[in-house]
C-alpha cells in the first residue's frame, strides 16, 4: 500500500526538504497550510507541485481532524511552529498557543481519529530546549539525556511539545518520536535567520547592492548542519519498529564570526569588520550562548550522519544567494 504523509509547516525550510524526500520515496504527500490567501501558497505550489495542500491551523483542532480525514496519513510530521526565537519574546502567548499547545491539538486529533493507533508521529523538538548553560558537559555535547533549561518563550513552548509527545507515547502507546534537531540551514532558510541573513547580505555586498549588514550578538556558537541531511533523519525515526527521541547534530560548534569569515572569503573579502555593524535591535533578552550536539544515538540506531560540513554549508548558501541576487534587479 502506498504510504501517505501529512506535513504541518509545509511552507517552511524543513517542510520543503521533507516533502521532496517523501515524494522521492513514493509517498502521497499532503501539506497543512494556514489561512486564507496565505502569501506563501503560490511559492509552495511552484516548488512542490506534487503536494496536496489542505487548509488548517494548529490552533484549530477541528481543522486538524479534517486534515487527517482527507489525507488518511500513515505518518504525520509536525514541523509547524512560530520558530523564530527572537520573535517569540515579542509574541510569547501566540508562541505558546501554536508551538506548545498546537502539538497537543495534533496529538489529540490523531488519537481521536485513528482508532487503530496506526499513525506514526514526528515532533520537531529543538536544541533550544537545552539553553546552552554550563551543564553543557564540555566537549561531549548535549545528548538525549541532557538537562533542559530553555531560554526563550519559543524554547519553553517546544519543551511542552516535547513532553506531551512523550506522554502520548507512554499513555496511549502511540508511535510518536521527537527529533531534537540542532540548527539546520541552507538555501531555503528564511532571511530572518542569521545564516541566511549573512549569506544574502554577503552576496548583495559583493554585487554592490548593499553597503553593510546589521547584526545583533556575534558571540553565540551554534552546531550548524545542512537542512537536507536532517530531513532524512526525521524520516528514519518513523521507520523504526519502536518510537524514540533522537538528537540530530553535526557534533561541531562554530561562532557567528566564523560563519562571517567563511562567507566573506567566498566573495574574496578577507576582513568583514568594515561591513558589519551591531544593532541592539537584534539582541535577545536572554541568549543561548553555545550549542553543541552529540548525535551518537542517531548515528548508531538510525545509521544517520550529516553529509555536508560547515565550510560546505556556507559555500552552498553564499553561491545560492549570489545566483539569486545576480538575477534580481533590486
Ligand atoms: N536571527 C538573527 N538575526 N540572529 C542573530 C542576529 C540577527 O541579526 N545577530 C546575531 N544573531 C544570533 C542570535 O542571537 C542567535 O544567538 C544566533 O545568531 C542564531 O540565531 P537564529 O539564526 O535566529 O537561530 P536560533 O539558533 O535562535 O534558532 C534556530 O535554531 C533552533 C535550533 O537550535 C531556529 O531555527 C529555531 O527554530 C530552532 O529551533
Amino acid at each position: 500500500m502506498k504510504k501517505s504523509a501529512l506535513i504541518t509547516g509545509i511552507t517552511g525550510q524543513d517542510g520543503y526538504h521533507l516533502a521532496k524526500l517523501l515524494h522521492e520515496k513514493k509517498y502521497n504527500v499532503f501539506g497543512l497550510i494556514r489561512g486564507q490567501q496565505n502569501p506563501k501558497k503560490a511559492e509552495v505550489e511552484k516548488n512542490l507541485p506534487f503536494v496536496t495542500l489542505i487548509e488548517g491551523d494548529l490552533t484549530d483542532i477541528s481543522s486538524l481532524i479534517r486534515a487527517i480525514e482527507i489525507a488518511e496519513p500513515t505518518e504525520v510530521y509536525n514541523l509547524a511552529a512560530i520558530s523564530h526565537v527572537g520573535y517569540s519574546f515579542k509574541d510569547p502567548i501566540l508562541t505558546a498557543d501554536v508551538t506548545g499547545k498546537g502539538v497537543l491539538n495534533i496529538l489529540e486529533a490523531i488519537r481521536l481519529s485513528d482508532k487503530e493507533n496506526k499513525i506514526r508521529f514526528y515532533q520537531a523538538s529543538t536544541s533550544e530546549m537545552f539553553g546552552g548553560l554550563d551543564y553543557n558537559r564540555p566537549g561531549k555535547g548535549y545528548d538525549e539525556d541532557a538537562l533542559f533549561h530553555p531560554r526563550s518563550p519559543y524554547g519553553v513552548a517546544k519543551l511542552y511539545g516535547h513532553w506531551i509527545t512523550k506522554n502520548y507515547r507512554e499513555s496511549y502507546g502511540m508511535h510518536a518520536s521527537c527529533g531534537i534537531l540542532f540548527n539546520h540551514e541552507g538555501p531555503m532558510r528564511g532571511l530572518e535567520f542569521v545564516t541566511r541573513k549573512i549569506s544574502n547580505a554577503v552576496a548583495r555586498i559583493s554585487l554592490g547592492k548593499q553597503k553593510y549588514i546589521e547584526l545583533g550578538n556575534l558571540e553565540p556558537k551554534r552546531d550548524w548542519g545542512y537542512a537536507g541531511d536532517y530531513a532524512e533523519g526525521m524520516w528514519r525515526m518513523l521507520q523504526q519498529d519502536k518510537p524514540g527521541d533522537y538528537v540530530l547534530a553535526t557534533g561541531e560548534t562554530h561562532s557567528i564570526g566564523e560563519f562571517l569569515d567563511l562567507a566573506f572569503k567566498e566573495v574574496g573579502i578577507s576582513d568583514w569588520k568594515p561591513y558589519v555593524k551591531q544593532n541592539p535591535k537584534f539582541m535577545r533578552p536572554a541568549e543561548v550562548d553555545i550549542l553543541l550536539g552529540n548525535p551518537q544515538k542517531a548515528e548508531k540506531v538510525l545509521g544517520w550522519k550529516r553529509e555536508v560540513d560547515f565550510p560546505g554549508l556556507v559555500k552552498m548558501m553564499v553561491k545560492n544567494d549570489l545566483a539569486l541576487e545576480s538575477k534580481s534587479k533590486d
Side-chain angles (χ1 to χ4, degrees), residues 18-302:
L18 184 65
K20 286 224 151 196
L21 180 87
L22 297 179
H23 179 60
E24 278 163 28
K25 293 187 184 296
K26 310 278 182 245
Y27 280 63
N28 280 328
V29 186
F30 295 82
L32 191 78
I33 187 152
R34 198 161 47 91
Q36 203 180 343
Q37 302 286 354
N38 187 318
K40 288 190 168 169
K41 190 172 180 196
E43 195 187 321
V44 176
E45 285 170 337
K46 184 167 154 265
N47 290 340
L48 304 170
F50 48 82
V51 171
T52 306
L53 294 175
I54 305 173
E55 278 169 13
D57 193 307
L58 268 195
T59 59
D60 171 5
I61 189 169
S62 65
S63 74
L64 301 175
I65 292 174
R66 195 182 61 241
I68 290 167
E69 269 171 19
I70 297 170
E72 296 186 83
T74 44
E75 295 169 15
V76 173
Y77 293 85
N78 183 37
L79 312 184
I82 290 191
S83 68
H84 192 272
V85 175
Y87 178 76
S88 77
F89 286 97
K90 295 185 184 128
D91 229 335
I93 295 168
L94 185 64
T95 304
D97 284 344
V98 177
T99 306
K101 195 169 153 227
V103 186
L104 178 58
N105 285 338
I106 190 139
L107 285 165
E108 267 298 274
I110 294 172
R111 191 177 73 84
L112 295 171
S113 321
D114 179 25
K115 299 288 177 229
E116 292 174 33
N117 203 5
K118 278 195 173 150
I119 297 178
R120 297 187 171 196
F121 178 73
Y122 173 86
Q123 167 58 16
S125 289
T126 162
S127 51
E128 276 291 308
M129 300 185 311
F130 296 123
L133 295 181
D134 45 7
Y135 35 75
N136 190 13
R137 300 191 274 182
K140 185 170 180 280
Y142 289 113
D143 60 20
E144 296 76 8
D145 301 320
L147 282 175
F148 296 122
H149 186 140
R151 303 263 293 157
S152 63
Y154 166 79
V156 174
K158 277 287 184 186
L159 195 50
Y160 176 82
H162 184 74
W163 279 108
I164 199 68
T165 302
K166 284 168 85 101
N167 180 258
Y168 269 54
R169 176 162 86 212
E170 291 168 5
S171 306
Y172 305 114
M174 279 176 68
H175 193 295
S177 296
C178 300
I180 308 174
L181 270 54
F182 283 65
N183 295 53
H184 42 289
E185 320 289 317
M188 298 304 288
R189 192 57 148 149
L191 288 163
E192 68 274 34
F193 297 96
V194 79
T195 54
R196 183 78 199 288
K197 187 173 168 182
I198 294 172
S199 65
N200 180 260
V202 165
R204 291 177 63 84
I205 289 167
S206 82
L207 295 167
K209 291 172 142 190
Q210 184 172 325
K211 291 205 163 52
Y212 56 87
I213 174 174
E214 287 190 321
L215 294 171
N217 190 350
L218 301 185
E219 302 304 318
K221 292 181 152 188
R222 290 290 182 273
D223 181 323
W224 275 305
Y226 169 53
D229 291 344
Y230 289 58
E232 173 75 28
M234 297 177 198
W235 175 76
R236 287 192 185 203
M237 286 177 214
L238 296 207
Q239 310 318 305
Q240 303 305 303
D241 289 340
K242 289 197 179 137
D245 304 324
Y246 297 88
V247 161
L248 297 187
T250 69
E252 284 175 29
T253 189
H254 298 278
S255 66
I256 294 166
E258 285 173 81
F259 196 101
L260 285 165
D261 279 341
L262 291 180
F264 273 98
K265 276 200 187 112
E266 201 51 40
V267 295
I269 298 174
S270 53
D271 179 13
W272 47 261
K273 296 208 173 55
Y275 302 99
V276 176
K277 292 190 182 179
Q278 275 194 297
N279 185 335
K281 187 169 102 182
F282 299 110
M283 307 243 182
R284 296 169 183 180
E287 182 59 272
V288 171
D289 294 329
I290 174 166
L291 287 176
L292 171 67
N294 179 341
Q296 272 178 18
K297 180 180 171 190
E299 289 176 4
K300 209 167 131 204
V301 181
L302 306 178

